[in-house]
Amino acid sequence: MRNRTTLQKGDALIIVDVQRDFLPGGSLGVPDGDAVVPVINAYAEKFRAAGLTVAATRDWHPADHCSFEAQGGPWPPHCVRDTAGAGFADALRLPPEVILISKATKSEADAYSGFDGTDLAERLRAVGVRRVFVGGLATDYCVLATVRDARAAGFEVALLTDAVRAVNVDPGDGDRALGEMQELGASFVEMQDLDVAA
Ligand SMILES: [Zn+2]
């Protein structure tokens, strides 16, 4: 079920972890993950042109991060800060005034959500944001966690369903994540559903 909506003051775009290591060929590549890049570029341009806030989160781990297999975590090494793999996708076009959020920057704690251990909520509120549009990677991990925390922090949430892809470690994880986000009150939006106020 999708909803038509009009972008307005108080809206912001949150781009979740569109980093090289999460693209096909990366150390933790999300299947078809590169397909979100041109779509997110189009959203970012739409928000920028409307004078709205754009935020981008990134996994930004130390080399001995607790989520890595060598430390007993579930994942291969990925998004080690200041390495090529941690960089944003080459084709991603972020506006110059983007709010850049680095997360899981300490060895001992992981953070799937862009709000976890960061000042994202404060920075959004400081510029009057009330509703966030969320896209990026991956649907069943960092996008889901970001949507959960956005709702818990009191933001309205619209999930950009054409700008997310799932890992699906277990088949159906992506669909289950969509179901949970809907239950949390997130609406589902695609590019063609989005109008810009005249
Ligand atoms: Zn990570």
Side-chain angles (χ1 to χ4, degrees), residues 71-89:
Q71 278 68 243
W75 305 117
H78 62 276
C79 300
V80 174
R81 64 187 176 211
D82 296 316
T83 64
F88 288 118

Side-chain angles (χ1 to χ4, degrees), residues 105-118:
T105 61
K106 301 219 165 56
S107 301
E108 61 276 11
D110 204 4
Y112 288 166
S113 159
F115 292 93
D116 187 355
T118 75

Side-chain angles (χ1 to χ4, degrees), residues 9 21 32-33 43 50 68 72 77 92 100 111-112 123 133 135 150 157-158 163 173 176 189-190 193:
K9 197 167 173 294
D21 273 345
D32 201 31
Y43 279 118
F68 299 168
L92 187 67
L100 176 62
Y112 288 166
R123 291 177 71 178
F133 292 72
V157 176
D173 278 353
R176 278 187 289 277
V189 170
E190 291 183 6
D193 307 322

